[in-house]
Amino acid sequence: MTTAARILVVEDNPLNLKLVHDVLEANGYDVIAATSGEEGLRLAAEQPPDPVLMDLQLPGIDGTETLHRLRNGTLDGRVPIVAVTAFAMAEDHRSAARSGFDGYLEKPISVRSLAGQVENFLRGGAS
């Protein structure tokens, strides 16, 4: 028996959070959810995730600051941290990469492709 990957989803919009949670859980992943960067930091320390899906605009500390704190504290570079955002311009994608995100998912999330995208990140791929 294999253990399901644990995915930390950090998203402040309750509808987006529920959608991502439900899609990933339906695909066999263990999903933990945070609605702020601070909560994401706490959950990552308590239940180390395999990947993190991180909204960029969060209340309190934003997604980029949360990424930096995770990389300098709880999580090393082996755990992919993926930006999830409605910012869809090419420069937004490059900015997320320069900030240190391992991948980029655009909102609205594609229900059909999300599980495959997450699996790709778990295998070390980027998008």
Side-chain angles (χ1 to χ4, degrees):
M1 180 175 173
T2 60
T3 303
R6 178 182 299 132
I7 302 170
L8 171 59
V9 180
V10 185
E11 168 65 62
D12 66 321
N13 180 298
L15 294 176
N16 289 340
L17 181 58
K18 179 172 178 16
L19 174 67
V20 171
H21 180 279
D22 291 353
V23 169
L24 293 175
E25 192 171 76
N27 282 277
Y29 294 106
D30 178 18
V31 182
I32 52 177
T35 58
S36 69
E38 292 86 348
E39 186 179 17
L41 291 169
R42 182 181 56 78
L43 288 175
E46 293 173 359
Q47 305 173 64
D50 296 301
V52 178
L53 302 182
M54 178 81 65
D55 187 13
L56 292 180
Q57 291 189 306
L58 295 167
I61 60 172
D62 67 13
T64 302
E65 179 60 27
T66 305
L67 161 76
H68 292 149
R69 291 187 189 186
L70 286 170
R71 287 286 186 236
N72 292 319
T74 307
L75 303 179
D76 61 26
R78 291 176 288 184
V79 176
I81 302 178
V82 178
V84 181
T85 181
F87 300 130
M89 303 300 286
E91 179 52 32
D92 299 321
H93 192 160
R94 288 190 291 271
S95 177
R98 283 192 303 270
S99 295
F101 284 98
D102 300 296
Y104 190 91
L105 293 176
E106 291 179 15
K107 294 179 186 175
I109 294 294
S110 169
V111 171
R112 289 185 180 181
S113 62
L114 178 61
Q117 291 170 313
V118 167
E119 190 62 35
N120 187 44
F121 291 123
L122 286 167
R123 292 183 187 151
S127 80

